[in-house]
């Protein structure tokens, strides 16, 4: 865990936690959120990458706490929740960290159930665990949960069934939570960011030239739109970040 920014102890106006913030999409969302009065709680396993994101966010005025660890470990998830509890509120939780699973990607008939359980631990159980553990602070803030999904959640691509089914389950968890939690004032959405030129995407297509895919910054107009809405009007919806336009409920 790295040192606090000097202002971290003062009363924050907004507390945001983003998993998988070391690189790729998570790092872009972290920088998008960074600013004065914002406390960012950032997670990933690779401390050098996480520190890079943290430094960029601090230079934008945010107070940042980098919490290095593996989300498949309940002790690490509890450590993240303790950070949130210490701040007393959670305005935004972005469950972004995710893994692809075994490479090459096995078809369902040959998918080791132990490897599938491990994949679900990171992509499905860890996001739900973080939501459960931070529920009091999300309720206090009337917060928003963003679960990062994928087009593989809705299309039956051969070889993508393990990863895709973990994301499909996360989508339904998101919608169900949105319905269950509406009266408590917490909102939940899922977001398919579309194809992005990141480490995960390269790992999915080893040796292929992926330079035609856009960088994760392509999603910035979407995040600006999403975070400018009243969360209650979004809850229960699934968005595609690379669509041309997005709509909140009337
Ligand atoms: N790239 C695409 O084309 C694409 C398309 C659809 C959906 N998505 C989704 O977008 C999200 C971001 O993906 P990305 O492309 O930005 O991936 P990425 O570049 O590989 O970044 C993933 C981040 O998650 C962290 N992470 C992975 N496993 C972790 C674990 N067990 N514990 C803690 N942190 C972990 C990684 O850091 P460490 O390895 O250091 O832990 C890294 O910071 C994911 O949910 C992905 O499924 C991506």
């Amino acid at each position: 865990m790295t040192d606090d920014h000097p202002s971290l102890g003062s009363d924050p106006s907004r507390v945001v936690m983003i998993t998988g913030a070391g690189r790729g999409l998570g790092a872009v969302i972290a920088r998008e959120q960074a600013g004065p009065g914002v406390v960012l709680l950032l997670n990933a396993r690779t401390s050098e990458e996480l520190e890079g994101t943290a430094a960029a966010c601090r230079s934008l005025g945010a107070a940042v706490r980098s919490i290095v660890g593996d989300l498949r470990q309940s002790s690490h998830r509890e450590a993240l929740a303790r950070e949130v509890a210490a701040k007393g509120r959670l305005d935004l939780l972005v469950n972004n960290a995710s893994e692809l699973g075994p490479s090459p990607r096995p078809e369902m008939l040959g998918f080791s159930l132990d490897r599938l359980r491990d994949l679900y631990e990171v992509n499905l159980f860890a996001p739900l665990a973080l939501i459960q553990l931070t529920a009091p602070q999300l309720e206090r803030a009337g917060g928003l949960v963003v679960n990062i999904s994928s087009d593989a959640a809705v299309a039956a691509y051969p070889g993508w069934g393990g990863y895709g089914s973990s994301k499909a389950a996360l989508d339904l968890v998101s919608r169900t939570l949105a319905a269950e939690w509406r009266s408590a004032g917490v909102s939940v959405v899922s977001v398919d960011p579309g194809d992005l030129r990141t480490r995960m995407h390269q790992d999915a297509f080893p040796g292929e030239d992926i330079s035609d895919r856009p960088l994760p910054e392509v999603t910035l107009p979407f995040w600006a739109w999403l975070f400018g809405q009243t969360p209650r009007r979004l809850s229960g919806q699934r968005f595609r970040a690379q669509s041309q336009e997005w709509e909140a409920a009337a």
Side-chain angles (χ1 to χ4, degrees):
M1 219 173 278
T2 59
D3 285 348
D4 292 349
H5 183 281
S7 65
L8 199 56
S10 59
D11 193 17
S13 53
R14 183 170 167 82
V15 179
V16 175
M17 183 156 73
I18 303 169
T19 66
R23 59 176 186 265
L25 181 63
V28 166
I29 301 172
R31 290 195 300 272
E32 197 276 344
Q33 282 292 300
V38 177
V39 170
L40 283 174
L41 306 172
L42 306 179
N43 142 279
R45 291 168 299 182
T46 309
S47 58
E48 300 75 24
E49 288 183 344
L50 197 54
E51 267 319 302
T53 305
C57 293
R58 285 189 187 108
S59 73
L60 292 166
V64 184
R65 175 82 107 173
S66 311
I67 307 135
V68 175
D70 190 332
L71 286 165
R72 48 170 64 76
Q73 292 171 354
S74 57
S75 57
H76 177 59
R77 303 190 302 228
E78 284 155 11
L80 291 170
R82 279 195 298 277
E83 294 290 328
V84 172
K87 301 292 161 282
R89 61 182 293 142
L90 185 57
D91 297 85
L92 173 65
L93 167 61
V94 183
N95 281 310
N96 165 76
S98 173
E99 295 185 10
L100 270 177
S103 178
R105 284 173 278 101
E107 297 194 345
M108 293 315 291
L109 280 181
F111 214 120
S112 148
L113 296 185
D114 283 341
R115 301 296 295 273
L116 192 60
R117 277 188 201 98
D118 183 64
L119 186 59
Y120 276 34
E121 192 64 48
V122 179
N123 292 4
L124 177 64
F125 300 143
L128 179 58
L130 286 181
I131 292 166
Q132 291 173 340
L133 288 165
T134 61
Q137 292 78 30
L138 282 164
E139 289 178 6
R140 191 162 303 138
L144 172 66
V145 177
V146 177
N147 291 322
I148 302 296
S149 183
S150 166
D151 64 331
V154 294
Y157 302 126
W160 286 84
Y163 170 85
S165 61
S166 72
K167 294 291 193 181
L170 186 62
D171 277 353
L172 191 58
V173 165
S174 304
R175 279 171 46 210
T176 308
L177 270 169
E180 291 172 347
W181 227 350
R182 193 172 292 276
S183 60
V186 180
S187 306
V188 186
V189 300
S190 59
V191 174
D192 166 12
D195 283 357
L196 304 170
R197 198 189 321 158
T198 64
R199 172 103 50 93
M200 174 182 275
H201 199 92
Q202 186 67 75
D203 289 346
F205 300 97
E208 279 187 39
D209 178 8
I210 63 163
S211 59
D212 60 337
R213 274 63 145 195
L215 291 168
E217 283 79 358
V218 73
T219 60
L220 282 169
F222 169 73
W223 300 117
W225 175 83
L226 187 88
F227 299 135
Q229 302 297 308
T230 305
R232 253 193 312 276
R233 296 184 58 216
L234 307 172
S235 199
Q237 295 192 68
R238 183 181 193 278
F239 296 98
R240 288 173 42 232
Q242 292 190 50
S243 292
Q244 293 308 305
E245 50 186 50
W246 315 278
E247 274 181 34

